[in-house]
Amino acid sequence: GTSCTRRESRFTSGIYQPETFKRETKYGLTVLTSTDKGLLNYLNQVMAQVDAWLTSGDIQRFVVVVTGIDSGETLERWQFNVTLEDGSDSENCL
């Protein structure tokens, strides 16, 4: 999953301290996941908003940017283009 990979990236990039992660097996892989309650709460809020945008069809592009706290420098950036389907096959959606 993307979220697990991204969280592991936060650790390997040195953005978060190693002690704020735990090893878990997900998707047949060992991944590092965050144990930081503040970060998890923030990500849950963001994902709830993204879900609302997706459900309403109000989103065409989603961009995630990670910046350095002190420098303001862009450390990582991802862009996701969103294409909505007509929903006629909605029973196959996860």
Side-chain angles (χ1 to χ4, degrees):
T2 301
S3 65
C4 293
T5 303
R6 296 303 178 215
R7 289 182 187 163
E8 183 172 341
S9 177
R10 302 290 74 71
F11 167 69
T12 57
S13 305
I15 296 171
Y16 288 98
Q17 298 299 318
E19 59 271 8
T20 64
F21 290 84
K22 64 180 176 180
R23 291 189 182 280
E24 293 184 307
T25 300
K26 293 189 176 196
Y27 318 107
L29 301 170
T30 300
V31 294
L32 298 170
T33 58
S34 179
T35 60
D36 183 294
K37 290 182 183 179
L39 174 62
L40 295 172
N41 183 48
Y42 171 75
L43 291 174
N44 285 334
Q45 290 176 9
V46 168
M47 294 312 296
Q49 180 61 60
V50 170
D51 183 56
W53 287 331
L54 288 170
T55 302
S56 66
D58 290 336
I59 189 170
Q60 295 175 343
R61 180 176 300 136
F62 183 68
V63 179
V64 178
V65 179
V66 176
T67 59
I69 293 173
D70 295 329
S71 68
E73 176 186 0
T74 298
L75 303 174
E76 297 186 36
R77 181 183 183 279
W78 305 281
Q79 177 175 310
F80 304 92
N81 296 320
V82 178
T83 303
L84 300 178
E85 297 181 359
D86 66 8
S88 62
D89 196 21
S90 62
E91 67 273 3
N92 292 327
C93 294
L94 297 177

